[in-house]
Amino acid sequence: MNISTSQNQPAFSAKFINNKAFQEVVKYAKDTKQLQELDTALNKINNSNAGDILLIHGTVPGGVYSNFNMGKRAVQNLGAETPEKASFNAIMELGELGRKFRKLVGGEVKSNLKADDVIKKYSV
């Protein structure tokens, strides 16, 4: 039985696949007035290693889970009251581009940010 399929397009930056779980995290950030923090973390992730990140979260009898998958690699985040909060906290941690992010991308953090992009984005 095929539950879902996603076509991974070649990416030049790390981007989240727009699914229900990701939309729930954005709604959580909006409702808790943390949309700016989410945007900052997503921007750091976006300007790093290329690839598509699939977010899956939910509740099981043992508690809340939040999984991030990129290719054949995955990282998990636990310990929150709701799946949305667990995923939000994990995105904040991934946005630090630390150990958890390196595990997800399978190695060193590579920046795709260019000086011209910064000038174009932040100047008139």
Side-chain angles (χ1 to χ4, degrees), residues 21-87:
F22 183 71
Q23 292 172 9
E24 288 172 350
V25 171
V26 173
K27 183 180 180 324
Y28 170 83
K30 180 182 174 201
D31 293 347
T32 59
K33 299 183 180 2
Q34 298 181 79
L35 206 50
Q36 183 66 47
E37 290 84 353
L38 178 63
D39 181 60
T40 299
L42 291 173
N43 190 41
K44 284 183 175 180
I45 293 167
N46 185 49
N47 287 321
S48 62
N49 302 46
D52 296 331
I53 302 171
L54 175 64
L55 167 61
I56 302 169
H57 66 214
T59 308
V60 294
V64 171
Y65 70 91
S66 174
N67 295 328
F68 294 82
N69 303 298
M70 184 181 232
K72 295 181 180 181
R73 293 174 298 279
V75 294
Q76 230 177 21
N77 197 53
L78 307 169
E81 301 83 35
T82 65
E84 298 84 8
K85 185 174 182 180
S87 295

Side-chain angles (χ1 to χ4, degrees), residues 95-110:
E96 295 171 3
L97 305 178
R99 184 180 55 84
K100 189 174 270 192
F101 186 78
R102 287 191 310 270
K103 182 179 178 186
L104 182 62
V105 298
E108 291 297 313
V109 177
K110 300 173 189 161

